[in-house]
Amino acid sequence: MIKNLVNLAENKFPKSTIINIWRKIITTANMNEQALRIAIHTPRNIADYTYLTREFYNNDVPIINYDSANSVVAELENNQAQIGIFALPDSSEENEKKEDTKENWWISLANNRIGLKVFAKIPFVEFEQKDKNSNSIQLVATAIKEPEKSICDKSLITIETGKEINKSAILSALKEVGLEGKILKSAQVMQFDGIKFHLIELDGFYLENDEIFKKLSQSKIKPYIKVLGHFAQTILI
């Protein structure tokens, strides 16, 4: 809906203003319909997570921060919060060292049993003339809800492979079955020796039972695949 409004405005009205107005209207309407409380996963206590979340929703939404991903999931499971916010890892970082699962929320989310799915990416707007010193933090919003397709989407998935499988092999396997995307993070965790976990952003809208994932699971890398959710492609202004 917001993308349609932006297209209708052409260059007669600032796109960022249209987006901000409608995001605030949508949030206010949601708050009038039901209780709305947001739980943010911020193990490093980064204040920008709260700022970006309020920009996307509004200043009146109650927000609470947690350093544990499991605590965020528990709040959603008990309906003490309706939306959970997590930060996407920076794909430019070298991040294949063995570590615990505290910051790798996506590994835990892949196996949640309450139907928790990614449904939005924050910020929703990307500036064409981006300042090199501007904030590069990207968040995703999760909730217990059914997936919804928009005009143009991205899918967020995790795959598990043997620890010997490298990124080049994964990207080749994706390409062979017709998938395009990028690896946001690869990690080995101390609790699962011999397994490597990969967080991948795909172009397009895919569900776990899609035929294309069946083909991928039978490829040389033999991955175990879980769909974390989807979000609309950001608006470029």
Side-chain angles (χ1 to χ4, degrees):
M1 181 182 70
I2 291 174
K3 286 181 178 178
N4 287 336
L5 288 167
V6 167
N7 291 333
L8 284 171
E10 297 176 341
N11 294 320
K12 299 174 183 176
F13 205 80
K15 293 179 181 179
S16 59
T17 302
I18 295 171
I19 294 164
N20 287 336
I21 290 171
W22 279 93
R23 281 297 320 153
K24 300 299 182 279
I25 290 173
I26 291 166
T27 301
T28 303
N30 288 340
M31 291 178 71
N32 285 332
E33 292 169 2
Q34 61 181 352
L36 186 58
R37 187 168 178 260
I38 297 175
I40 299 179
H41 174 236
T42 174
R44 299 180 190 177
N45 198 26
I46 298 174
D48 283 354
Y49 292 4
T50 299
Y51 170 76
L52 289 171
T53 301
R54 290 202 184 281
E55 280 287 293
F56 187 75
Y57 289 99
N58 69 33
N59 291 328
D60 298 315
V61 179
I63 289 176
I64 188 163
N65 295 327
Y66 294 94
D67 66 358
S68 163
N70 289 335
S71 296
V72 174
V73 173
E75 288 290 275
L76 293 159
E77 185 174 15
N78 298 324
N79 201 33
Q80 296 302 306
Q82 291 68 46
I83 295 170
I85 302 292
F86 300 91
L88 288 175
D90 185 348
S91 58
S92 66
E93 293 179 357
E94 183 59 40
N95 44 33
E96 289 199 28
K97 63 182 181 180
K98 189 171 284 191
E99 53 195 348
D100 61 31
T101 58
K102 186 173 183 180
E103 293 198 40
N104 291 318
W105 55 268
W106 45 279
I107 296 175
S108 301
L109 189 64
N111 299 300
N112 84 87
R113 298 180 181 180
I114 61 173
L116 189 61
K117 295 291 183 183
V118 171
F119 70 90
K121 187 176 179 181
I122 303 170
F124 187 48
V125 172
E126 186 178 345
F127 292 95
E128 199 165 12
Q129 301 296 328
K130 190 174 181 181
D131 183 353
K132 291 182 180 179
N133 298 318
S134 64
N135 201 320
S136 61
I137 293 172
Q138 295 183 324
L139 309 174
V140 288
T142 63
I144 301 170
K145 61 178 293 183
E146 293 296 317
E148 291 183 67
K149 193 173 183 178
S150 75
I151 296 171
C152 187
D153 293 292
K154 302 277 189 179
S155 296
L156 203 60
I157 71 168
T158 64
I159 66 171
E160 298 175 23
T161 67
K163 64 180 180 181
E164 73 283 356
I165 302 297
N166 60 32
K167 292 183 179 181
S168 295
I170 294 169
L171 293 173
S172 294
L174 292 174
K175 191 172 183 179
E176 283 175 8
V177 299
L179 291 168
E180 294 289 338
K182 60 182 179 180
I183 300 172
L184 301 181
K185 185 170 185 179
S186 296
Q188 289 180 257
V189 296
M190 291 179 284
Q191 297 94 321
F192 301 97
D193 191 34
I195 298 174
K196 191 181 287 185
F197 298 86
H198 311 272
L199 177 64
I200 300 173
E201 181 186 293
L202 294 176
D203 298 337
F205 184 94
Y206 298 101
L207 300 172
E208 263 175 40
N209 59 356
D210 285 352
E211 189 64 31
I212 201 164
F213 285 146
K214 293 178 184 177
K215 291 180 181 178
L216 181 61
S217 66
Q218 295 165 2
S219 67
K220 292 179 182 179
I221 65 172
K222 301 293 183 185
Y224 177 69
I225 306 159
K226 297 290 287 186
V227 175
L228 296 184
H230 315 85
F231 50 82
Q233 186 169 322
T234 52
I235 298 175
L236 186 64
I237 60 175

